[in-house]
Amino acid sequence: MTTNGAARWVVLLVRLPAGPSRHRVAVWRELRRIGALSLGQGVWAVPDVPVFADGLARAAELAGRADGEVVTLDAAGRTPADSAHLQALFTAARKEDWAEFLADCGKFEDELAKEIRIAKFTLAELEEEEQSLERLRRWHRDLTARDVFGTPEAAEAGERLRQCTVACEDYAERVFAALHETPGQSG
C-alpha cells in the first residue's frame, strides 16, 4: 500500500452515457458503498488495498453494462503533502461514516429504552430489534474494513456496538421473563 511511506491509490475515471440516469446512480451507489472518495465528476479514489478490489470490479462491470467505460490508474501523491492531503480527505470521509454509525447506535438504544418504558415485550419486537442489531454489526464490519488508515472513531464505535449488544441482551431477557410470567404474577 505504500511506497516510500506514501499510500498508493487506485483512481477510477468513470464515463457513462447521459441516460438513462439509473446506470450513473448504480455506479455511484457501488462506489459510495465501498467508501470510494469522489475527487470530482467521474473521478474516484480508494487506497490500493485488496478490500476495495471487488467493489471496484462491480463498479466497472456496471459501467460496462451501461455502455460506459472505466479507466483505472495506479497513483500516489506527487509530493508528501499531496499524499497527506488525499489521506486526510479519505480519513475525513471515514470519520463521517463513523459519526453516522454512532448516531444510529444512539437511535437503537433509544428504541430499546422506549420499548422497555412502554413494556412492549413481544417476540415480534425482539426479532425486529435483533435484526436492527445485526444490521449495525454488518455496518460496523464494513466500516472497519474500509477504515484502512484507522480513525480514532473506530474504537468508540466498537465500544458503542458492544453497549448496543448488552442493551439488546437485556431487552431479550425482559421479553422472555414477560412471556414466562404466569397470570397473577407481577414483575
Side-chain angles (χ1 to χ4, degrees), residues 90-105 136-137 139-161:
F90 189 82
T91 298
R94 298 300 66 84
K95 287 180 179 212
E96 289 176 15
D97 290 344
W98 285 122
E100 186 179 347
F101 176 84
L102 290 167
D104 270 25
C105 285
L136 286 172
R137 285 180 174 139
W139 190 10
H140 184 268
R141 278 192 303 269
D142 290 346
L143 292 178
T144 299
R146 65 183 183 223
D147 187 6
V148 297
F149 299 115
T151 61
E153 291 79 3
E156 180 184 354
E159 176 57 25
R160 283 300 296 279
L161 181 59

Side-chain angles (χ1 to χ4, degrees), residues 27-100:
V27 172
W28 177 84
R29 280 189 179 145
E30 181 61 26
L31 291 168
R32 292 290 302 153
R33 186 189 67 74
I34 67 167
L37 182 62
S38 175
L39 299 177
Q41 188 164 348
V43 181
W44 297 82
V46 294
D48 189 6
V49 294
V51 72
F52 298 107
D54 289 343
L56 293 175
R58 278 191 300 275
E61 179 185 331
L62 289 166
R65 278 195 245 154
D67 293 326
E69 64 181 11
V70 173
V71 174
T72 306
L73 306 170
D74 290 325
R78 201 165 173 142
T79 67
D82 292 334
S83 294
H85 181 68
L86 197 52
Q87 185 171 330
L89 289 172
F90 189 82
T91 298
R94 298 300 66 84
K95 287 180 179 212
E96 289 176 15
D97 290 344
W98 285 122
E100 186 179 347

